[in-house]
Amino acid sequence: MGSPVHRVSMGDPWSRRVHPDIGNERSTPSFDVERLTNILDGGAQNTAVRRKVESIIHSDPVFSLKDNYFMSQNELYEASVQKKFHIQMIAQRLGWLEDSRELHYVARIFSGNLALGLQHIFLNALRSLGSEEQITKWAPLCTTFQIITTYAQTELGHGTYLQGLETEATYDADTQEFVLHSPKITAMKWWPGDLGRSATHALVQAQLICSGARQGMHAFIVPIRSLQDHSPLPGITVGDIGPKMGFEQTDNGFLRLDHVRIPRENMLSRFAQVLPDGTYIKLGTAQSNYLSMVVTRVELLLDEIIPLLQKACVIAIRYSVIRRQSQLRPGDPEAKILDYQTQQQKLFPQLAMAYAFHFLATNLLEFFHHSYNAILNRDFSLLPELHALSSGVKAMVSDFCTQGAELCRRACGGHGYSKLSGLPSLVTRVTASCTYEGENTVLYLQTARFLVKSYLQSQASPGSKSQKSLPQSVAYLIAPDLARCPAQRTADFLHPEVYTRAWAHVAVRLIKDSVHHLQTLQQSGADQQEAWNQTTFIHLQAAKAHCYYVSVKSFTEALEKLENEPAIQQVLKRLCDLYALHGILSHMGDFLHDGFLSGAQVDMLRTAYLDLLLLIRKDAISLTDAFDFTDQCLNSALGCYDGNAYERLFHWAQKSPTNTQGNPAYEKYIRPLLQSWRAKL
């Protein structure tokens, strides 16, 4: 069976033939794989554009990732800058704009292996927080790389708690300048990408002080390196923070400011202004300055986090039909490990999650676009819901993608521990997403605060204005509830309404429970802050249940839109069913707690779940093929489209510098050691 040319890009001799074990998996697909790819891409036209971009990139050897696993930190950094430089040359030649689909697809190819990615974060913040005049001035300088920018928020002593940031920006009315200063070591900016060695300017989040009063966190554009020789400017101490768990190609840095002066015009002023005399004018809400973080969170889901789980699923599931181990029956050939129920139970929930999160993030992106322009025009009515949704979804998706990628790695046994499998780098990269753009526990609790307010709002008189204005994502709080699950047989648990209402029931109960505990503590004399701190574990459970409910509901709604694609709808419904039921089985206590499910119903639900594993098994390879990652994009010896994992793993291992550069330890230590013993024999 031939291989689609666009997927096979390694140029290895084995790619001219497909391993029969993976070829057989593709011989009789139950649905049109190409059509599902188009749906995931948002249309056939987008698929065509993406493949054209991939063809351009893969045809140039400078963009190869094959040597990445053998490079030092310095080599990885230089290679990522080189790739970025060549991308800019191509973009200029072909007219790819900053926010174009083409550059979005470029980012998908390299998955974090391109330098200067914080330029986009800077632009997000500029467009969200800057005035039109500031955008007009600074955006062209960024997009043409006349300056290289980063976003400096996290400090050595503070991260997600933005109100605690210690960097100060004090306004000097005499000179009409802001004086940026790090008053203590913990105020030093720490972790911003591209800061260590690359950036010439930083968007610094700092506490504004004007007319003697603190006005909270604001954003300031600060030059940090000379545009002539790249040396640090006066008052700037800047460098790289050193080795990390992953992202070795990125120069995460530190920045210490010693009374650095910048013009008044360098404070981003869409939602706040400081007049020449030092008068502070507030044009937005206290949450306005967080808008750029919301933008980044929403974009990261589809652009960075979810593709990492998708790739891990592709690699692990492809390898699982190549790897044979033991016998299912005496005398039979060794079985594909994907035919074992335990392997299916490891991998198929991750595959279902990858699809569920795609549709969830797509829904969130649509809501974001609906809300964003209104917020820029100072209509903040949708900002609380957008903040709560983006916080909770980012936390849930990054948590589960991290767990899922690690499960995929472990499901590949010893070979999954090899960097050449591509899986360790996926795991370390997605692990970082649990912390950047908001630590996940803190983000869940942001969602929980929104849920408490929404629940109290839902308790107003039925039909009241307060109830009617309940945000759409929490409208289920006032929907009729079921005290008991109505399912009477196994097949009932495959009805989306049954499991969606089950998740709604548990989310409502946990939210109600969290509010009850909060109120009980306050009534017993605890102040509001202490009562909150003593109930955060319960709030965390409520927020997680709410987010899972939202994700199940978004998946079922995506299925409803596929009525004209019955084959695809059927195979995706199985994944939706599996996703919802896997979540219930994983949190069984929450569903048994108040008798919503009985023990007998849990047995039926588990039977339905295990039956789904067998059904999904038939389409597993086709479902991973639909993600349409090229071989070069996966950069995995185990996960290539042709299935020739063992040949590729051996070939790549031979190219390791440990095999090509000799063994200096032999002459220095091993040979003398051997000779010392020989003399005694």
Side-chain angles (χ1 to χ4, degrees), residues 151-156 158-160 165 188-192:
Y151 180 84
Q153 178 172 292
T154 300
E155 295 176 353
L156 192 56
H158 284 88
T160 305
L165 295 181
M188 191 186 309
K189 296 299 181 184
W190 195 272
W191 278 111

Side-chain angles (χ1 to χ4, degrees), residues 100-341:
S100 65
R101 287 194 180 276
E102 287 86 356
L103 287 180
H104 165 79
Y105 295 139
V106 166
R108 182 182 189 264
I109 293 170
F110 291 106
S111 187
N113 286 301
L114 280 181
L116 314 185
L118 271 289
Q119 189 101 321
H120 183 68
I121 308 298
F122 175 96
L123 282 166
N124 276 346
L126 176 67
R127 289 164 182 154
S128 300
L129 305 177
S131 66
E132 293 305 318
E133 293 79 11
Q134 289 170 324
I135 295 170
T136 300
K137 174 183 177 179
W138 292 100
L141 297 177
C142 290
T143 55
T144 56
F145 282 85
Q146 294 180 60
I147 61 174
I148 295 172
T149 56
T150 186
Y151 180 84
Q153 178 172 292
T154 300
E155 295 176 353
L156 192 56
H158 284 88
T160 305
Y161 180 57
L162 302 186
Q163 296 176 47
L165 295 181
E166 297 176 297
T167 303
E168 297 174 346
T170 305
Y171 183 65
D172 182 347
D174 292 337
T175 62
Q176 294 189 31
E177 293 174 316
F178 291 104
V179 182
L180 276 290
H181 184 59
S182 310
K184 55 178 80 169
I185 190 170
T186 50
M188 191 186 309
K189 296 299 181 184
W190 195 272
W191 278 111
D194 304 330
L195 175 62
R197 306 167 77 175
S198 308
T200 63
H201 290 66
L203 188 69
V204 175
Q205 293 283 5
Q207 301 290 349
L208 169 63
I209 304 171
C210 58
S211 300
R214 287 184 172 266
Q215 301 294 350
M217 185 185 72
H218 290 68
F220 303 84
I221 297 176
V222 183
I224 59 173
R225 287 187 174 96
S226 165
L227 292 175
Q228 276 67 51
D229 62 6
H230 212 57
S231 61
L233 294 173
I236 299 291
T237 302
V238 65
D240 189 279
I241 65 170
K244 308 175 293 288
M245 181 175 169
F247 280 95
E248 291 300 306
Q249 75 285 349
T250 302
D251 55 321
N252 297 87
F254 59 80
L255 173 66
R256 194 167 194 172
L257 300 157
D258 184 5
H259 298 92
V260 175
R261 288 179 172 266
I262 61 171
R264 181 176 65 91
E265 294 77 15
N266 281 28
M267 184 184 99
L268 298 191
S269 58
R270 180 180 293 276
F271 299 119
Q273 295 177 4
V274 174
L275 300 183
D277 65 357
T279 302
Y280 179 73
I281 300 176
K282 189 175 182 179
L283 303 171
T285 68
Q287 290 75 36
S288 302
N289 282 324
Y290 299 97
L291 180 59
S292 61
M293 292 185 68
V294 172
V295 176
T296 302
R297 257 181 228 135
V298 172
E299 287 187 347
L300 278 171
L301 295 172
L302 284 171
D303 291 351
E304 173 69 21
I305 302 172
I306 298 170
L308 297 174
L309 177 60
Q310 292 173 339
K311 290 178 180 180
C313 288
V314 173
I315 294 167
I317 291 174
R318 285 181 178 172
Y319 177 65
S320 293
V321 300
I322 299 304
R323 181 73 169 185
R324 289 179 174 270
Q325 198 79 32
S326 304
Q327 300 166 318
L328 283 169
R329 296 178 187 84
D332 283 358
E334 288 191 274
K336 297 178 178 182
I337 60 174
L338 197 60
D339 288 334
Y340 292 101
Q341 188 183 69

